[in-house]
């Protein structure tokens, strides 16, 4: 039988107080948002903490708002509230679509976007899409506030670049521009996705040419990642890019450190990258 050990919930009134609590309790404490990952890991005795610092009670930390070319998403906004926020629906429809397919409605109602990113479980959706959207995050710690590009945030499976006493406060996502074509696709057999693939193309002429491209793959890699060499194959005229899709998929797979595991062989994952890059290209332009 799985049992949760005794712990105490701390309720900070501000991010600054949460940071002070992290310093005060040290290794005995963890931040806690929806608890969908953390409490499960504690039930399995993989993680042990005597104090959980509940960031959900911090006023305003769940705000989702438009601000000068970006959508700012508070770290404690749940997947469901992001999916339903009118500014996200108006300016980042691809993000809404991704959020609608995260987990199930029960997890989406409780789990937060910040918790998803901070737990850094490789089989997750948001980070892959945030990479091609050019997102960044804001963290606050004893040294003050800093911005971190999404590329630098995830460092390894279950690891981010956050310091022990830092709190993720916001996720900044640039608003999609009219000359961008973006798609996110996932493939899932079990509880967590096996592949996530995001593609963003910039086209000055409604899809005849692509002046720049961003492509990222997640779930099959230790962390979601872009591939500069794959992106190189995805710029130029539409016919050139169409002919290059296989080369781009190979480059994406080469950069992903594919491994055989219970979800499938490395060869199978390489095949999926080919299929899903082609589908993402069609979807982005459709
Ligand atoms: C059945 C199931 C299916 C799922 N399917 C998917 C899926 O298809 N796709 C997908 O992407 N995800 C999936 N997930 C993961 C889900 O998205 C996450 O569980 C959820 O978003 C985590 O958020 P939380 O608020 O519950 O985090 P918590 O469990 O509260 O915290 C997770 C970690 O993040 C840290 N943390 C939380 N907030 C902060 C903060 N503000 N600053 C610093 N650190 C912080 C905590 O200390 C902890 O280490 C699934 C989960 C479950 C249980």
């Amino acid at each position: 039988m799985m049992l949760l050990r005794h712990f105490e919930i701390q309720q900070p009134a501000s991010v600054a107080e949460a940071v002070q609590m992290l310093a005060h309790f040290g290794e005995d404490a963890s931040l806690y948002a929806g608890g969908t990952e953390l409490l499960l890991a504690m039930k399995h005795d993989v993680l042990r903490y005597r104090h959980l610092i509940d960031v959900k009670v911090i006023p305003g930390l769940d705000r989702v708002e438009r601000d000068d070319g970006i959508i700012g998403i508070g770290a404690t906004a749940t997947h469901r509230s992001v999916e339903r926020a009118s500014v996200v629906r108006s300016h980042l429809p691809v993000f809404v679509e991704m959020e609608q397919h995260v987990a199930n409605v029960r997890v989406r109602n409780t789990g937060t976007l910040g918790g998803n990113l901070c737990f850094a479980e490789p089989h997750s959706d948001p980070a892959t899409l945030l990479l091609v959207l050019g997102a960044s995050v804001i963290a606050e710690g004893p040294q003050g506030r800093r911005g971190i590009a999404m590329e630098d945030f995830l460092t390894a499976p279950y690891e981010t670049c956050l310091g022990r006493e830092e709190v993720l406060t916001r996720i900044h996502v640039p608003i999609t521009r009219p000359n961008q074509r973006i798609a996110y696709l996932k493939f899932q057999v079990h509880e967590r996705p096996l592949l996530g693939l995001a593609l963003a193309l910039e086209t000055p002429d409604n899809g005849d040419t692509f002046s720049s491209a961003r492509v990222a793959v997640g779930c099959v890699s230790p962390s979601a990642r872009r591939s500069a060499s794959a992106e190189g194959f995805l710029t130029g005229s539409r016919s050139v890019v169409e002919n290059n899709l296989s080369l781009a998929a190979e480059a994406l797979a080469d950069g992903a450190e594919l491994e055989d595991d219970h979800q499938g062989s490395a060869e199978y994952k390489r095949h999926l990258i080919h299929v899903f890059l082609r589908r993402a290209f069609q979807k982005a332009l459709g």
Side-chain angles (χ1 to χ4, degrees):
M1 190 170 57
M2 292 185 293
L3 272 183
L4 265 174
R5 287 169 191 271
H6 176 78
F7 59 82
E8 280 176 26
I9 299 267
Q10 307 295 334
Q11 298 200 307
S14 63
V15 173
E17 197 184 345
V19 171
Q20 280 167 13
M21 286 175 168
L22 283 171
H24 176 74
F25 293 116
E27 299 284 321
D28 259 357
S30 171
L31 296 174
Y32 154 77
T36 57
E37 298 284 23
L38 188 65
L39 294 182
L40 205 61
M42 287 175 69
K43 263 189 194 163
H44 284 281
D45 221 11
V46 178
L47 296 173
R48 285 186 193 179
Y49 298 107
R50 302 221 343 248
H51 300 274
L52 297 187
I53 303 166
D54 184 359
V55 286
K56 279 194 318 302
V57 299
I58 299 175
L61 206 59
D62 62 347
R63 201 173 299 136
V64 181
E65 60 201 350
R66 182 181 177 172
D67 183 12
D68 203 18
I70 59 149
I71 301 297
I73 302 174
T76 60
T78 61
H79 294 291
R80 192 92 171 115
S81 62
V82 174
E83 168 193 330
R84 294 177 135 189
S86 59
V87 281
V88 184
R89 296 185 91 87
S90 307
H91 300 292
L92 292 171
V94 68
F95 205 76
V96 172
E97 200 187 326
M98 179 277 296
E99 284 287 23
Q100 284 168 337
H101 294 100
V102 165
N104 52 54
V105 75
R106 194 176 56 82
V107 172
R108 289 203 297 281
N109 263 329
T110 321
T112 62
L113 180 58
N116 179 294
L117 296 176
C118 291
F119 199 62
E121 140 75 77
H123 299 96
S124 299
D125 296 290
T128 312
L129 179 56
L130 288 170
L131 276 174
V132 309
L133 293 175
S136 57
V137 300
I138 308 293
E140 245 177 272
Q143 262 50 269
R145 186 175 297 181
R146 64 177 177 134
I148 306 162
M150 211 42 226
E151 271 86 356
D152 301 324
F153 185 69
L154 300 172
T155 49
Y158 307 101
E159 261 182 53
T160 70
C161 71
L162 289 183
R164 247 215 63 79
E165 292 167 19
E166 277 186 309
V167 179
L168 179 76
T169 56
R170 296 189 78 67
I171 299 103
H172 285 175
V173 193
I175 286 174
T176 304
R177 295 183 299 280
N179 65 345
Q180 285 181 306
R181 302 287 180 272
I182 306 172
Y184 177 75
L185 290 173
K186 75 192 274 188
F187 179 65
Q188 186 162 345
V189 179
H190 303 292
E191 193 169 71
R192 303 286 298 231
L194 161 54
L195 174 101
L197 193 146
L199 174 67
L201 298 164
E202 213 155 295
T203 171
D205 45 22
N206 211 14
D208 289 338
T209 56
F210 304 108
S211 50
S212 73
R214 283 172 168 249
V215 64
V217 70
C219 308
V220 290
S221 280
S223 306
R225 57 182 64 169
R226 285 172 63 192
S227 158
S229 45
E231 290 171 359
F233 288 119
L234 297 171
T235 55
S237 71
R238 183 177 178 141
S239 57
V240 165
V241 170
E242 268 168 351
N243 284 331
N244 278 349
L245 284 174
S246 281
L247 291 169
E250 277 301 294
L252 199 52
D254 288 344
E257 295 177 46
L258 304 178
E259 281 182 1
D260 299 343
D261 62 19
H262 70 285
Q263 296 242 41
S265 67
E267 200 187 338
Y268 174 57
K269 293 172 191 172
R270 184 174 289 272
H271 170 71
L272 287 179
I273 290 176
H274 276 265
V275 172
F276 278 81
L277 179 60
R278 206 163 278 281
R279 284 189 194 167
F281 182 74
Q282 283 157 359
K283 186 165 186 209
L285 299 185

